[in-house]
Amino acid sequence: MKKEKAVVVFSGGQDSTTCLFWAKKHFAEVEAVTFDYNQRHRLEIDVAASIAKELDVPHTVLDMSLLNQLAPNALTRSDIAIEQKEGQLPSTFVDGRNLLFLSFAAVLAKQKGARHLVTGVCETDFSGYPDCRDVFIKSLNVTLNLAMDYDFVIHTPLMWLNKAETWKLADELHALEFVRTKTLTCYNGIIADGCGECPACVLRKRGLDQYMSEKKGAHVQ
Ligand code: ZN
């Protein structure tokens, strides 16, 4: 894959930043694409832009505000609480988001002569998002290839990793400190370790604590 070009779907969070490092290791050329869908925190776009700049990765921001027009949700509207009711999808779920994002990323990738797409979706820490499942990604890959008569390959390096293993991957890519201090995952818009209380921060910290204690344990043995 080393001689080829990849486009990374990039939000500036822990997962997609780890994917960006992964892509830089595996491909000769890497670009990043970020979707502006009127996120609750505009800072997300700025963080993505500054990380891409620091890593010397060409970065495109695409306007996807129509997504918010179609499906208002807790990630874009401050009057919708972040919650998950028993038996329902969480209020952070946006219908069609990954379908649309990956489709637009594919159109962009083809124009830029890239056939590899990289996305940080993950089935293991499954929040109940149907479009993070491996079966969906494989199905979309076939659909994109048929739609554009092009051999896209969608890569999902985090698909079967839990949060601790995602930190381990960042560490193996020599990016643990970078990811820990420069990315934005927090639903309350606080960079690095975040607010410490929202579901995204809790998940991120639990994974980091678990990985660091495993690493320490491995050194002791
Ligand atoms: Zn938080």
Side-chain angles (χ1 to χ4, degrees), residues 119-198:
T119 169
V121 296
C122 164
E123 196 167 307
T124 315
D125 280 326
F126 188 47
S127 322
Y129 292 6
D131 57 359
C132 288
R133 289 176 297 175
D134 193 51
V135 67
F136 162 73
I137 297 294
K138 289 194 162 74
S139 157
L140 181 65
N141 202 150
V142 172
T143 298
L144 290 173
N145 294 4
L146 291 172
M148 292 185 241
D149 195 18
Y150 197 66
D151 288 327
F152 289 108
V153 183
I154 306 180
H155 299 267
T156 54
L158 313 184
M159 181 59 79
W160 307 110
L161 305 186
N162 62 31
K163 270 282 177 280
E165 290 164 334
T166 300
W167 282 113
K168 182 169 187 270
L169 177 62
D171 202 10
E172 286 163 1
L173 295 164
H174 310 290
L176 191 137
E177 268 317 288
F178 187 103
V179 172
R180 200 183 72 72
T181 56
K182 297 190 176 182
T183 63
L184 172 62
T185 311
C186 174
Y187 288 145
N188 290 312
I190 301 169
I191 295 174
D193 293 334
C195 72
E197 285 168 10
C198 73

